[in-house]
Amino acid sequence: MKKLRIAFLAYNLEQGGAERQLFYISKALVQQGCVPDIFSFGQGGYWEAPLQKLGIRVISIKERGKVARLRKFVKYIGMGDYDFVYSQQFCTNLYAVAASFFCGVPCIGSIRNDVISEVRDRDLGLLGWFSLILPAQMVANSRLGIENAKKYFRNPKG
């Protein structure tokens, strides 16, 4: 049986809660015989060395600008034999969606807090809304995030 191959995407590997969750998820997956690769738009970071000690490949995408990062990430996913792409943070959901679209690999998006602040983030603009509705599947670590996401689906104007 083929080992499950997962491409995780994190904005960075600093000491945040989502990054800690990524470490624990990856550790459990390795213990079960899965092969996770971690892609990050940051270089280094607190969790990079602990992940590498688990035998996990950490790939830094250092390109500047969203389009350049997207192109590089899609290229990596297209060259891999991944079973799915998992966006670890809300701000990387659209990168996972694009990789899914261009490479034919299923994707999972994330909600990491109340979802309202993420959708309304000024840096994302309209992309915040698409980050919520475009991933085929979503994982949330917040009951409030799930409840608010349901409200957005019923009443997109929020």
Side-chain angles (χ1 to χ4, degrees):
M1 185 174 177
K2 179 183 157 193
K3 290 183 178 183
L4 187 64
R5 290 204 26 117
I6 305 163
F8 283 97
L9 177 60
Y11 190 76
N12 62 51
L13 297 174
E14 298 301 330
Q15 273 190 286
E19 296 84 356
R20 178 185 304 271
Q21 287 177 359
L22 176 59
F23 173 78
Y24 289 128
I25 291 167
S26 299
K27 182 177 179 181
L29 288 168
V30 167
Q31 290 170 346
Q32 295 301 313
C34 297
V35 183
D37 286 341
I38 310 292
F39 293 88
S40 172
F41 295 142
Q43 186 172 2
Y46 179 84
W47 290 105
E48 184 171 344
L51 287 162
Q52 289 173 331
K53 283 182 185 176
L54 295 173
I56 296 171
R57 188 168 64 139
V58 177
I59 301 104
S60 294
I61 298 175
K62 303 170 202 159
E63 277 67 18
R64 289 185 174 205
K66 293 175 183 175
V67 174
R69 287 180 187 158
L70 175 62
R71 290 180 66 205
K72 188 72 159 198
F73 181 61
V74 168
K75 181 179 177 182
Y76 276 123
I77 299 305
M79 294 183 330
D81 184 24
Y82 296 104
D83 293 294
F84 64 91
V85 176
Y86 186 113
S87 169
Q88 183 63 18
Q89 293 142 318
F90 190 81
C91 64
T92 58
N93 283 354
L94 291 180
Y95 293 94
V97 168
S100 175
F101 177 80
F102 289 114
C103 302
V105 178
C107 77
I108 299 171
S110 289
I111 297 170
R112 291 286 169 217
N113 61 37
D114 71 355
V115 88
I116 292 172
S117 60
E118 293 175 306
V119 168
R120 293 183 178 166
D121 185 329
R122 289 183 197 170
D123 291 339
L124 291 175
L126 185 59
L127 296 179
W129 175 246
F130 289 123
S131 296
L132 176 63
I133 64 171
L134 289 181
Q137 303 290 322
M138 294 289 273
V139 172
N141 69 349
S142 161
R143 184 177 309 273
L144 181 59
I146 294 168
E147 291 169 3
N148 287 337
K150 288 179 183 178
K151 288 178 190 175
Y152 267 94
F153 280 119
R154 284 197 299 268
N155 181 9
K157 295 186 180 182

